[in-house]
Amino acid sequence: MSEETYEIQEAGAEAADEPVLAAEAAAQAGNSETHADAGGPDPDDPDAGDPEDVDGVAALELKPALEAVLMVVDEPATEEHLAKVLQRRRREISDALRELADEYDRQHRGFELRLVAEGWRFYTRAEYSEAVESFVLDGQQARLTQAALETLAVVAYRQPVSRSRVSAVRGVNCDGVMRTLLQRGLVEESGAEPETGAILYTTTHYFLERLGLRGLDELPELAPFLPEADAVEGDSQEGMPSFDVDDSGDEVHDRTQTEH
């Protein structure tokens, strides 16, 4: 082979390699731009955190992750909080929760997932409550007294309300009962009355949770439980003496003359 032929072949090989090198360079540049656009953490940034930690929760299957979190909550968890913890959009969380609730209903599980007090939590299904009571209570039950139930009802329907106003509605002093309700976590302090400075009280989320309500708007209407006007009027007049004014005056006058 002549020297001229060898130089021509070597030049052709270099020309053939140039498109390959150019394609590799373009691919590397494209990958760099893709990673930059993806918004991933910068490995050179010390505050960016570990990429595996960022992707760990978001990479989990959503429904099992929700079940795991809801198993350990001690109060209803809001959709916003769950979305933040699991690094998902709220719409995804909302749809998944409702799908889980429907699945448990179809399977007729011993528990159910319910939306209560603006949050989600597992609850025992009503038809199996006796089994849970038998296990947990062990024959001992702590119930609210009639006075406590009446006081709680006044707070629920009149809130925010002061102790003096509750006492006026019930007709008896309710300071001791209010302390009991505060200790049970059913009512809480909620500011002060502008005119008198008296502490105002409202019901708590725990109150809604215990009653299985989503909000105060689900409280039953009072009208069906109130007595008729005739019955109230009759009760108010019961035991009151009936007398004629003129007769009463004459009777007093006659008695006075007799005594003298």
Side-chain angles (χ1 to χ4, degrees), residues 76-96:
T78 64
E79 294 176 1
E80 294 86 348
H81 190 194
L82 292 171
K84 179 180 178 181
V85 170
L86 299 179
Q87 301 178 11
R88 303 295 182 94
R89 293 191 300 271
R90 178 180 174 180
R91 172 59 64 182
E92 293 181 78
I93 297 294
S94 178
D95 292 343

Side-chain angles (χ1 to χ4, degrees), residues 14-176:
E14 291 177 355
D17 289 340
E18 287 179 0
V20 176
L21 295 174
E24 290 178 355
Q28 291 177 357
N31 291 337
S32 300
E33 293 176 359
T34 301
H35 289 306
D37 294 338
D42 184 359
D44 297 330
D45 185 1
D47 298 329
D50 188 353
E52 294 183 358
D53 293 340
V54 174
D55 297 336
V57 175
L60 294 174
E61 189 176 349
L62 182 54
K63 288 184 180 179
L66 283 170
E67 291 175 325
V69 172
L70 292 173
M71 286 293 291
V72 299
V73 299
D74 53 6
E75 62 181 13
T78 64
E79 294 176 1
E80 294 86 348
H81 190 194
L82 292 171
K84 179 180 178 181
V85 170
L86 299 179
Q87 301 178 11
R88 303 295 182 94
R89 293 191 300 271
R90 178 180 174 180
R91 172 59 64 182
E92 293 181 78
I93 297 294
S94 178
D95 292 343
L97 288 168
R98 283 165 173 76
E99 289 175 7
L100 284 173
D102 292 340
E103 290 175 12
Y104 300 147
D105 289 341
R106 287 196 302 269
Q107 297 168 3
H108 202 67
R109 307 292 292 272
F111 58 90
E112 57 184 344
L113 183 58
R114 287 160 49 188
L115 176 61
V116 173
E118 302 179 357
W120 292 83
R121 188 177 181 183
F122 285 121
Y123 289 86
T124 301
R125 198 170 292 277
E127 47 263 54
Y128 302 108
S129 59
E130 292 184 4
V132 178
E133 290 176 358
S134 177
F135 177 78
V136 175
L137 299 180
D138 193 20
Q140 298 180 358
Q141 297 184 1
R143 297 181 179 273
L144 290 175
T145 64
Q146 183 67 25
L149 288 173
E150 292 175 2
T151 302
L152 184 59
V154 174
V155 175
Y157 284 95
R158 299 291 296 271
Q159 61 183 306
V161 63
S162 64
R163 288 191 185 189
S164 60
R165 187 62 61 88
V166 176
S167 297
V169 173
R170 292 195 59 231
V172 295
N173 186 286
C174 64
D175 289 353

